[in-house]
Amino acid sequence: MKLVASESLSRLVALHCSACGAEHSAFDLQRVSICCSLPLVADYDLHEPLSRDVIDQADTSMWRYGALLPLLHHENKVTLGEGMTPVLNLPRLAARYELSSLRLKDEGQNPTGSFKARGLSMAISKAKELGVDGCIIPTAGNAGVAMAAYCARAGLRAVVVMPRHTPQAFKEECYWYGAEVELVDGLISDCGARVRQRNADGALLDISTLKEPYRLEGKKTMGYEIAEQLNWQLPDVLLYPAGGGTGLIGIWKAFKEMQALGWLAPETPLPRMVAVQAKNCCPLLETYAGRQPNCHSYQGSATLANGLAVPHPLGEAMMLRVLRESRGTVVSVSEEDMLAGMRDLGQQEGLFVAPEGAAVWMATRHLLATGWLHRDEKILLLNTGNGQKYMDNVAGRAAR
Ligand SMILES: *Cc1c(COP(=O)(O)O)cnc(C)c1O
Ligand SMILES: [Zn+2]
């Protein structure tokens, strides 16, 4: 289906290949780039002046940034109120570790219990706008749940392929949204192979991480929110649990867009971006450290942090670029440390976070110990999900 951007508030102009830059139309259904089979990235007209007044203050969801989002016609919006999650102070942990500013953006408060809601709200809205009938996704849990919910709301068929070992809560929720669920022995990469086989005729839109351009645009809204919620003063360091990497890449994209728009003071430095991985599955760390050329043949294993078990992230090169440009780094965290982090955040701050979020806190402690992070720096943690869904992984592990 051909779309016309006229009468739309969106500043979307084109898509480009993340590897070679080749332009692709943003007004046709696209998957990965034709040239390199790598992720496509949305471009907006950022030269025409646009003031921060364009933010729709009456909208308390991520859709308040509509001009910088890719949806052309608001009647195609598929929303459950995702976004505008709170940025919380962590005063007791800050006092214990003598930190001057420690905050956490709690993405566990999103619809369907994780930040995947942002990406899937956007991707399913665009799928609807582009006339798609059904969607398929390989998932470690949260993305499948979110896709199932937004497809139900859009009236689209949903097929979710997830590892058999995924905690029951994720599977159940998909069934309640009416999705077809297939279980696979293995990790998300094995589920991806099954999706390609099952969808060989291309009847369904493959919503795999970075295999369509719009989940990234939904995740990007975290970057806009962080700036707006912190009164346009960015933190010094931002720590993010990276699996496929859409959050890391998306937040950085938002910071660059806001710089181009003049929404950030010109002298404002952007945060150093830290990617946090599980020791059981840390392809990005291995490539970053030079122990492998890239993640293609990396062997990972399962982890309590299901969302981090991504052995072959398609966006690895894009993540590495963010780390380099931001002077960031990568840290990996053990299974035991994730549980210790869940205890810290639970007992000290009243937060029942996903193991992915707990890993981010433990990475902070590690970087403080090595001196990479300083006690007077403004630190922002991303907790990406709600701990409740992970009960099968963590039940009985609260006490020391
Ligand atoms: C998917 C997921 C991640 C990783 O997100 P990417 O965008 O794939 O890097 C982290 N935490 C949770 C809770 C997730 O569901
Ligand atoms: Zn290309």
Side-chain angles (χ1 to χ4, degrees):
M1 190 203 276
K2 228 13 186 190
L3 296 173
V4 185
S6 61
E7 302 167 38
S8 172
L9 274 180
S10 173
R11 289 281 187 99
L12 182 68
V13 289
L15 303 171
H16 73 266
C17 170
S18 58
C20 76
E23 192 173 310
H24 289 58
S25 166
F27 306 102
D28 298 306
L29 183 61
Q30 303 278 6
R31 295 172 175 88
V32 289
S33 67
I34 304 292
C35 39
C36 306
S37 296
L38 283 169
L40 287 169
V41 179
D43 294 320
Y44 299 81
D45 176 3
L46 303 176
H47 302 299
E48 199 66 23
L50 188 67
S51 97
R52 297 194 300 225
D53 295 338
V54 78
I55 299 170
D56 180 0
Q57 294 295 335
D59 187 337
T60 55
S61 77
M62 70 175 196
W63 292 94
R64 66 206 268 109
Y65 309 106
L68 298 156
L69 297 177
L71 195 73
L72 303 182
H73 301 290
H74 70 89
E75 62 273 18
N76 295 320
K77 189 186 295 179
V78 186
T79 179
L80 292 163
E82 52 292 323
M84 285 312 272
T85 55
V87 175
L88 304 170
N89 279 314
L90 302 182
R92 301 189 71 214
L93 288 175
R96 178 183 280 190
Y97 290 90
E98 296 170 9
L99 306 177
S100 50
S101 169
L102 179 66
R103 284 183 285 221
L104 176 145
K105 185 162 174 66
D106 191 9
E107 290 288 304
Q109 297 192 33
N110 273 301
T112 73
S114 84
F115 75 151
K116 292 295 196 304
R118 297 178 187 266
L120 274 302
S121 171
M122 187 61 64
I124 301 307
S125 297
K126 285 300 291 182
K128 182 176 173 193
E129 184 158 86
L130 289 156
V132 168
D133 306 316
C135 299
I136 188 166
I137 194 167
T139 177
N142 278 314
V145 170
M147 193 193 86
Y150 288 97
C151 278
R153 205 165 164 82
L156 302 185
R157 183 175 164 211
V159 179
V160 176
V161 182
M162 65 170 82
R164 198 175 303 281
H165 67 256
T166 308
Q168 190 62 25
F170 295 103
K171 298 173 192 163
E172 274 294 325
E173 197 171 337
C174 289
Y175 292 125
W176 284 101
Y177 295 130
E180 296 159 58
V181 178
E182 183 173 338
L183 303 177
V184 167
D185 293 306
L187 297 179
I188 195 172
S189 40
D190 305 294
C191 297
R194 176 62 190 139
V195 162
R196 286 192 293 281
Q197 189 182 42
R198 183 164 170 165
N199 194 42
D201 65 357
L204 301 166
L205 181 63
D206 183 348
I207 310 281
S208 299
T209 298
L210 296 170
K211 288 195 180 171
E212 61 72 50
Y214 300 118
R215 276 175 69 185
L216 180 61
E217 294 304 294
K219 290 276 184 83
K220 167 183 97 172
T221 57
M222 288 188 286
Y224 280 93
E225 283 177 23
I226 288 165
E228 188 184 2
Q229 290 172 314
L230 299 181
N231 202 20
W232 310 102
Q233 304 287 311
L234 297 179
D236 297 309
V237 179
L238 193 155
L239 296 98
Y240 169 85
T246 43
L248 185 79
I249 300 161
I251 292 170
W252 189 249
K253 181 174 193 278
F255 292 161
K256 303 293 265 195
E257 287 175 0
M258 287 186 284
Q259 254 183 353
L261 287 164
W263 288 14
L264 300 172
E267 67 281 7
T268 312
L270 299 184
R272 311 206 295 292
M273 304 287 284
V274 179
V276 179
Q277 298 212 293
K279 278 214 168 24
N280 284 2
C281 191
C282 52
L284 189 66
L285 175 68
E286 292 299 305
T287 305
Y288 184 82
R291 289 191 285 265
Q292 59 181 17
N294 57 52
C295 62
H296 295 330
S297 57
Y298 181 81
Q299 297 279 326
S301 57
T303 155
L304 296 174
N306 298 76
L308 302 187
V310 184
H312 310 142
L314 186 66
E316 186 181 64
M318 299 168 84
M319 287 195 269
L320 291 168
R321 203 180 305 153
V322 172
L323 299 182
R324 193 170 59 241
E325 281 183 27
S326 74
R327 298 172 299 112
T329 190
V330 198
V331 177
S332 70
V333 174
S334 71
E335 303 293 290
E336 273 310 316
D337 273 359
M338 289 177 200
L339 292 168
M342 286 183 70
R343 289 184 203 110
D344 271 356
L345 287 159
Q347 294 171 10
Q348 302 299 318
E349 302 289 358
L351 293 168
F352 189 43
V353 300
E356 291 86 341
V360 158
W361 164 238
M362 296 308 279
T364 307
R365 284 177 51 178
H366 170 77
L367 291 173
L368 285 164
T370 64
W372 193 90
L373 252 175
H374 304 285
R375 295 184 192 283
D376 59 353
E377 290 190 292
K378 293 201 287 287
I379 302 168
L380 180 65
L381 316 179
L382 258 288
N383 170 44
T384 43
N386 189 314
Q388 288 166 18
K389 301 239 173 113
Y390 295 76
M391 207 55 85
D392 296 351
N393 291 355
V394 304
R397 308 297 299 274
R400 257 174 221 278

